[in-house]
Amino acid sequence: MSPRVTFPNKVLPYLLLAPQLAITLVFFYWPASQALYQSMLREDPFGLSTKFVWFQNFAKVLRDPNYLNSLNVTLIFAVATAVISMGVALVLAVMADRVVRGRGVYRTLLIWPYAVAPAIAGMLWLFMFNPTMGSFAYILRATGYNWDPLLNGNQAMVLLVSAAAWKQISYNFLFFVAGLQAIPKSLIEAAAIDGAGPTKRFWTIVFPLLAPTTFFLLVINTVYAFFDTFGIVHAVTGGGPGKATETLVYKVYSDGFVNLILGDSAAQSVILMVIVIALTAVQFRYVERRVHYG
Amino acid sequence: MIENAPIRRLIAHLVLVLGILVVAFPIYYTFVASTHTLQTILRPPLPLLPGKEFFTNYWQALFGGIGRIGGVGVDRLLLNTTIVALAVAVGKICISILSAYAIVFFKFPFRMTAFWLIFITLMLPVEVRILPTYKVMVDLGLIDTYTGLTLPLMASATATLLFRQFFLTIPGELVEAARVDGAGPWRFFKDILLPLSRTNIAALFVILFIYGWTQYLWPLLVTNDNQMNTIVIALRKMISFADADTEWHLVMVTCVLAILPPILVVVLMQRWFVKGLVESEK
């Protein structure tokens, strides 16, 4: 890049940066460093003395069956949410790309859920499926299915995944539509002239060319499922029944904030930090040149 | 379209309509529930069409005078949430546009350090530093204040990156011309940069307003007093399935009121929304 033309002021840039840097230092870096420090401390049960234990908290957390359960729950939740919401969104985007009339109307009607808070998305699905008053729970039971997400862990998970995936459809849909529009029409026409039918064209041209978009969305959806769905879990199941829907973020919250096990909670925070760093690195390292055509 | 295949197009329309039914149904269901009496809601299945209680329920929820959660009315909750969403959106935009301006248009020691300090905050969401951040809030006396609800959310790596990206596309000649004409940094910012950034600001505003409106973990941590609840948190406190006294029709009204403003923003400002979404996620 050519050297930028700049203003000669010496003090002004620091003043301009001051508000942002002040907030990041006070509310981001300081607490994050505290989390790192606390993750190596252990407090006795009465809070009278603390001692420095290096990585013992991590060892303890990583051996804890509850933590491993929560890791497992989070992975299942993330994979299911990403696959379902991306799958549905891809089908809808391909269909929207195919129609000529009414595209704008369809888009308008499909982007609503983006505006719904995750916690409220969870509540909406809970309204429909809770055993006392949900119409769908009523229908399921009328057909003889024993539906009770408040008691059955797998059903609770299904409910959470539905709500989380539902909320994310809009987002994925918009990105798939943008990705589809970036594919040069000439490629598709060339394939059509060579005699490839629509299905074949989709799998041999469209889908591979969408790969960057798909990969990008995969990362974004994983981040979403790991971190942004705390509200859904907290509002719908509270991690239960049992610990069937206790995700990693929910566990950090409940261990640290509700049960006050500080060292463990801090160690879990640090593990989560490593996960975010890895995901962000992947996102920026491999996804930056997402749209390399069109 | 390459083949002219009316049947395939018809199928596409059908699939889209089906998709819309699935996507819009939970919202519609809640709206329908909000127009029925408590008795109708408690006796599933719920009718598919709105009931006659629309005005009664909404009137009662908005002006009923009875605080739903610990003496807090829906109006207060909506006010709180609006303040939070607006403050977060406006604050983030102001703070990031200034930072990006400093990083792109000035040369100074530690410029890249500042950039990286901002960039790395992407990797430190609230979720990974819950307890220590809470402690900072307590120490600063920010629990149950609007400042506490909004200020810590105002740092934004994404918005700063977006503005930086955009500023880098502004030709150096423009800066030179402005300087030749005697414009100082402030003048350049106000008369040239801000007008050029208008569309970016609008797009970001929509995304950030939604972001602020839908916050959950943060308001949950920093508010104890029901008076300071956002509507999302208040709803969580209202729903209790074990409690027979829950006034479901009013919960449904509150729920509709909680999702309506952001939906309106997204739908009415759709063009900015799509632009903001696609560009802020680079």
Side-chain angles (χ1 to χ4, degrees):
Chain A
M1 199 196 316
S2 61
R4 298 280 319 172
V5 183
T6 53
F7 289 101
N9 305 49
K10 290 291 165 235
V11 184
L12 186 62
Y14 296 105
L15 291 178
L16 293 171
L17 279 165
Q20 173 115 309
L21 290 182
I23 294 176
T24 55
L25 291 178
V26 174
F27 298 109
F28 286 72
Y29 287 102
W30 168 250
S33 65
Q34 286 297 299
L36 275 173
Y37 177 59
Q38 272 165 10
S39 69
M40 299 186 191
L41 292 182
R42 187 165 295 164
E43 219 170 66
D44 70 63
F46 304 103
L48 296 173
S49 66
T50 46
K51 72 175 184 233
F52 197 76
V53 293
W54 289 104
F55 295 103
Q56 276 183 33
N57 286 333
F58 291 94
K60 186 171 159 229
V61 163
L62 289 174
R63 270 199 307 266
D64 180 1
N66 284 335
Y67 189 75
L68 297 177
N69 166 61
S70 138
L71 188 63
N72 191 26
V73 163
T74 313
L75 287 177
I76 293 173
F77 177 69
V79 170
T81 304
V83 168
I84 292 174
S85 72
M86 285 171 66
V88 174
L90 180 60
V91 170
L92 290 174
V94 169
M95 294 302 156
D97 200 48
R98 202 174 278 176
V99 303
V100 183
R101 235 175 303 166
R103 208 183 273 190
V105 179
Y106 288 130
R107 189 176 80 172
T108 306
L109 291 172
L110 282 170
I111 59 177
W112 291 16
Y114 181 84
V116 177
I120 294 188
M123 292 179 216
L124 295 180
W125 283 77
L126 192 55
F127 292 154
M128 298 190 295
F129 283 97
N130 86 78
T132 19
M133 46 169 267
S135 298
F136 287 100
Y138 174 82
I139 294 168
L140 280 172
R141 289 185 154 187
T143 59
Y145 187 75
N146 188 11
W147 170 261
D148 193 344
L150 304 181
L151 292 176
N152 181 319
N154 290 334
Q155 294 178 359
M157 180 59 102
V158 169
L159 190 59
L160 288 188
V161 168
S162 313
W166 173 78
K167 195 211 134 33
Q168 199 64 359
I169 287 176
S170 320
Y171 186 94
N172 295 335
F173 172 78
L174 286 172
F175 275 89
F176 275 130
V177 167
L180 286 171
Q181 278 167 357
I183 295 175
K185 290 285 165 281
S186 53
L187 278 179
I188 296 172
E189 280 158 16
I193 290 169
D194 288 347
T199 315
K200 179 144 195 192
R201 287 203 302 269
F202 177 78
W203 289 113
T204 55
I205 298 175
V206 176
F207 192 71
L209 283 176
L210 269 183
T213 307
T214 313
F215 185 69
F216 163 78
L217 286 176
L218 201 61
V219 176
I220 294 289
N221 280 280
T222 312
V223 174
Y224 163 77
F226 264 73
F227 296 97
D228 296 341
T229 50
F230 170 82
I232 301 184
V233 180
H234 187 256
V236 177
T237 63
K243 290 185 179 304
T245 56
E246 192 176 63
T247 58
L248 290 174
V249 171
Y250 191 82
K251 189 165 164 57
V252 174
Y253 168 81
S254 67
D255 279 2
F257 215 71
V258 183
N259 305 329
L260 299 171
I261 315 169
L262 304 185
D264 287 11
S265 174
Q268 293 178 36
S269 291
V270 172
I271 296 174
L272 277 178
M273 229 181 269
V274 172
I275 296 175
V276 193
I277 291 172
L279 285 169
T280 317
V282 168
Q283 182 186 340
F284 277 84
R285 175 68 184 78
Y286 297 102
V287 185
E288 207 170 4
R289 304 189 181 282
R290 183 160 43 90
V291 188
H292 48 60
Y293 37 77
Chain B
M1 256 308 83
I2 293 146
E3 296 100 342
N4 190 12
I7 295 173
R8 289 173 56 78
R9 218 175 296 157
L10 185 70
I11 293 173
H13 280 289
L14 286 178
V15 172
L16 282 168
V17 169
L18 194 72
I20 286 169
L21 283 181
V22 173
V23 165
F25 192 78
I27 298 173
Y28 178 73
Y29 180 91
T30 310
F31 171 71
V32 170
S34 76
T35 61
H36 283 282
T37 58
L38 180 58
Q39 288 71 30
T40 317
I41 296 172
L42 287 179
R43 238 183 298 113
L46 193 76
L48 273 174
L49 292 173
K52 296 192 197 71
E53 309 298 316
F54 179 84
F55 291 105
T56 329
N57 286 352
Y58 280 76
W59 187 263
Q60 200 188 342
L62 281 171
F63 310 106
I66 324 151
R68 300 292 147 221
I69 316 141
V72 189
V74 174
D75 48 345
R76 175 71 199 235
L77 298 172
L78 281 173
L79 177 74
N80 285 347
T81 320
T82 311
I83 292 175
V84 169
L86 284 179
V88 168
V90 173
K92 265 182 187 272
I93 288 173
C94 293
I95 285 177
S96 345
I97 202 168
L98 291 178
S99 316
Y101 179 49
I103 288 172
V104 175
F105 291 101
F106 294 87
K107 246 194 206 87
F108 54 96
F110 304 113
R111 193 172 68 96
M112 285 321 278
T113 317
F115 175 73
W116 281 106
L117 275 177
I118 295 170
F119 181 81
I120 290 170
T121 57
L122 268 185
M123 304 177 194
L124 300 170
V126 193
E127 288 81 359
V128 308
R129 51 187 169 84
I130 296 179
L131 266 180
T133 318
Y134 179 74
K135 186 162 181 309
V136 170
M137 300 303 287
V138 175
D139 292 346
L140 293 176
L142 291 175
I143 300 295
D144 285 331
T145 61
Y146 288 117
T147 318
L149 274 170
T150 53
L151 186 68
L153 298 178
M154 282 183 196
S156 174
T158 335
T160 311
L161 288 177
L162 180 72
F163 281 123
R164 175 181 168 269
Q165 206 89 344
F166 171 66
F167 289 167
L168 286 174
T169 65
I170 291 175
E173 287 82 2
L174 202 60
V175 189
E176 252 163 31
R179 287 187 59 184
V180 169
D181 288 346
W186 169 242
R187 185 80 196 245
F188 175 74
F189 180 72
K190 182 171 70 91
D191 287 344
I192 297 176
L193 219 48
L194 271 187
L196 283 175
S197 313
R198 261 202 315 247
T199 54
N200 281 302
I201 293 176
L204 259 180
F205 177 81
V206 180
I207 300 293
L208 296 176
F209 181 84
I210 308 292
Y211 168 86
W213 191 279
T214 56
Q215 281 300 305
Y216 188 83
L217 179 57
W218 189 248
L220 185 71
L221 290 178
V222 300
T223 57
N224 297 318
D225 183 359
N226 285 336
Q227 287 284 339
M228 292 303 292
N229 277 340
T230 61
I231 197 162
V232 184
I233 300 294
L235 261 174
R236 165 66 178 80
K237 292 186 180 169
M238 284 168 101
I239 62 167
S240 159
F241 287 88
D243 185 0
D245 297 335
T246 309
E247 295 179 282
W248 285 108
H249 55 306
L250 300 181
V251 170
M252 297 297 177
V253 173
T254 315
C255 201
V256 171
L257 292 174
I259 55 186
L260 199 60
I263 286 184
L264 282 179
V265 168
V266 162
V267 170
L268 295 179
M269 297 178 77
Q270 200 179 134
R271 198 154 68 90
W272 306 125
F273 164 65
V274 174
K275 182 178 156 62
L277 198 64
V278 175
E279 291 192 357
S280 64
E281 286 294 356
K282 273 184 191 152

